[in-house]
Amino acid sequence: MSQSISKLVDNLPTNSMTVYMLRSLDFIVPGEWQNVVGFENTIRAVTGITDKHLIQDIGERAIALYNNPSEVYQQTLWLYQTVDRADSAIGAAALANKIGEKISFLGFLNQLTPKADTVQTIDLCLKLVVEAIAFCRLHGMPTNIDAFRASLANYHNESVIRMAALIAVDGLIPLGPNFILKAQSVLGQLNTAQLEGNPTFQNISSAIPGGTTAGKLGFINENFASVKGWMNNFVTSRNLTPEKIVVHLQQFMNVADSKLDYVAAFLDMSTNYYEHTGTQTVARNLILRAAQETKGKVKDKEKKKKDKDKDKDKKKRKD
């Protein structure tokens, strides 16, 4: 069985390249994300509950729900982890490709690695697909692109910083200010063989709706088309540019090179923000459900106790 959700949340780093990067992006969604680490701390932060016994009951219920293979939580977290873990390979491939373009002696690398824009676009789009699938699973519905798009307006906490990071470090920095148009253009030319050759797609393909690879590519296109308006509004309403993001990154991280393709590759190889915030999102959803169920049991117990006390009073009156 996979590691317990309590251990996964306890083991989240308080300081890491990922945490520094996310903190540097706070200017995009001010005050939304606090890096809450530790399972008990998360229960307190999510529910506002301070009673030790109730926190313990909620924790035990959340762990039981996570460990139940018929529930969606383990598979959902696996998606967040898997879509992030190929990033180091993507970063290396993109960097090798850029070196190949700039240094003629290494030109053969162009033939061995995918085009940077293609691989970055697939990465961006697969992360959006995982987000759609995860959102729908955690809210107890089949994957529904319209429901996912509508939900984005209500994203908060770790979910909204994850989307801010997606747009900033998987969109604007590697693909430029017109990343939506560029990604759309790449998607339009993408064929099933290119998609099947992508290691991230290979890993998560079974979770993507569509049946065949062509059907799954259609779903990826449809999902991207559905959220591009929201992404465009997110960028324009905050006046985001690649340069502005790098300036903020430089306040927290040693990003000396202002060449954006190198920065993108460095971030890919040194951070795992989808897994980090995805763990926090799954934990939040688990805890909220566990709290609801636990409070329900507490209320039932209180009601039964009151009913018993009433019955005793009635008996006493009769006697």
Side-chain angles (χ1 to χ4, degrees), residues 19-59:
V19 172
Y20 295 139
M21 183 192 82
L22 291 171
R23 283 181 186 151
S24 76
L25 300 178
D26 179 76
F27 80 100
I28 302 174
V29 283
E32 280 284 355
W33 179 70
Q34 305 298 321
N35 187 37
V36 181
V37 171
F39 197 53
E40 281 192 19
N41 289 339
T42 305
I43 294 170
R44 286 191 197 93
V46 168
T47 64
I49 290 167
T50 54
D51 180 87
K52 279 185 181 179
H53 298 296
L54 198 46
I55 286 170
Q56 189 177 342
D57 288 345
I58 291 166

Side-chain angles (χ1 to χ4, degrees), residues 145-198:
I145 287 171
D146 291 336
F148 167 54
R149 185 190 65 235
S151 75
L152 287 166
N154 301 311
Y155 262 35
H156 290 290
N157 306 306
E158 68 284 336
S159 293
V160 77
I161 196 74
R162 183 167 59 251
M163 289 297 95
L166 178 73
I167 286 168
V169 306
D170 283 305
L172 286 164
I173 290 179
L175 296 172
N178 297 316
F179 78 94
I180 296 170
L181 288 173
K182 190 177 278 189
Q184 208 172 357
S185 170
V186 170
L187 270 180
Q189 296 165 47
L190 199 64
N191 60 47
T192 53
Q194 286 172 301
L195 190 58
E196 284 172 349
N198 181 275

Side-chain angles (χ1 to χ4, degrees), residues 20-21 24 242-260 263:
Y20 295 139
M21 183 192 82
S24 76
E243 293 75 20
K244 184 186 278 191
I245 291 158
V246 169
V247 165
H248 282 269
L249 286 171
Q250 284 171 334
Q251 293 171 17
F252 288 82
M253 300 166 70
N254 185 22
V255 183
D257 197 329
S258 60
K259 293 190 178 91
L260 297 182
V263 173

Side-chain angles (χ1 to χ4, degrees), residues 21-22 25 28-29 80 83-84 87 90 119-132 148 152 155 158-176 179-180 183 223-224 227-228 230-232 234-235 240 245 249 264 267-268 271-275 277:
M21 183 192 82
L22 291 171
L25 300 178
I28 302 174
V29 283
Y80 279 125
V83 81
D84 219 358
D87 268 359
I90 285 165
V119 78
Q120 292 287 359
T121 295
I122 295 172
D123 183 36
L124 171 71
C125 293
L126 289 178
K127 280 181 174 166
L128 281 170
V129 163
V130 162
E131 190 65 28
F148 167 54
L152 287 166
Y155 262 35
E158 68 284 336
S159 293
V160 77
I161 196 74
R162 183 167 59 251
M163 289 297 95
L166 178 73
I167 286 168
V169 306
D170 283 305
L172 286 164
I173 290 179
L175 296 172
F179 78 94
I180 296 170
N223 189 59
F224 184 82
V227 299
K228 68 179 184 181
W230 177 82
M231 288 194 296
N232 185 59
F234 192 93
V235 170
L240 297 179
I245 291 158
L249 286 171
L267 292 172
D268 273 342
T271 65
N272 65 330
Y273 76 91
Y274 238 66
E275 179 176 5
T277 61

Side-chain angles (χ1 to χ4, degrees), residues 1-5 63-64 66-69 74:
M1 193 171 66
S2 66
Q3 203 173 13
S4 165
I5 187 65
I63 289 165
Y66 183 79
N67 289 345
N68 184 345
Q74 283 189 47

